[in-house]
Amino acid sequence: AVERTLSIIKPDAVGDNHIGAIIARFEDAGLKIAALKMIQLTQKQAEGFYAEHKERPFFASLVEFMVSGPVCVQVLEGENAIALNRELMGATNPDDAAPGTIRADFATAVSANAVHGSDSPEAAKREVAYFFSAEEVHSR
Ligand code: CMP
């Protein structure tokens, strides 16, 4: 089925000038960019986005990292977009990420892993709505 998923290019990859290369991975795989913006997350926005992780030992450092510089947030649309995006990203820890994946090529650590992608249809719905109004997402 055609799905939408939320993708974030994190501050490490934005700072390292990899926005274009990462977007190209999505487009080359057939995913459409349905929405796109660059933002500086506030502490509250980052905490709210990662609320499900708030009891984890790495929560504070995760939030600190996510507000350390601008991020590029996009909605990817296409057949099987949620799983396809996760395949393109590779494993959360770049040490475990398959060769040729975004995290293998652009991430340096589990805490600075270049990209985020929704992990389920429920998460995708919540995460897309967290950053974009309905009018900002374009079916294409
Ligand atoms: P993401 O897919 O954005 O969702 C939660 C994030 O927490 C994850 O990517 C990692 O970047 C981060 N994370 C997961 N495990 C750890 C860890 N052990 N230490 C620091 N950050 C982590």
Side-chain angles (χ1 to χ4, degrees), residues 10 50 53 58 61-62 92 103 110-111 113 115-117:
K10 297 187 180 185
Y50 282 120
H53 295 304
F58 58 81
S61 60
L62 171 61
T92 303
R103 283 167 171 157
V110 68
S111 54
N113 63 354
V115 282
H116 167 83

Side-chain angles (χ1 to χ4, degrees), residues 1 14 19-20 23 25 29 33 41-42 45 50 52 59-60 64 67 76 93 99 102 116 118 128 130 137-138:
V14 172
I19 295 173
I23 297 284
R25 302 277 176 113
I33 307 295
L41 294 178
T42 65
Q45 269 178 312
Y50 282 120
E52 68 178 301
F59 181 71
E64 184 181 18
V67 305
L76 308 178
N93 187 335
I102 293 169
H116 167 83
S118 309
V128 167
Y130 195 82
V137 185
H138 307 276

Side-chain angles (χ1 to χ4, degrees), residues 34-76:
L36 176 75
K37 65 183 162 190
M38 190 177 217
I39 49 176
Q40 170 65 55
L41 294 178
T42 65
Q43 182 90 9
K44 275 197 162 48
Q45 269 178 312
E47 286 172 356
F49 183 76
Y50 282 120
E52 68 178 301
H53 295 304
K54 69 174 181 294
E55 305 305 333
R56 305 272 203 115
F58 58 81
F59 181 71
S61 60
L62 171 61
V63 169
E64 184 181 18
F65 167 66
M66 290 301 288
V67 305
S68 67
V71 296
C72 195
V73 186
Q74 47 283 329
V75 177
L76 308 178

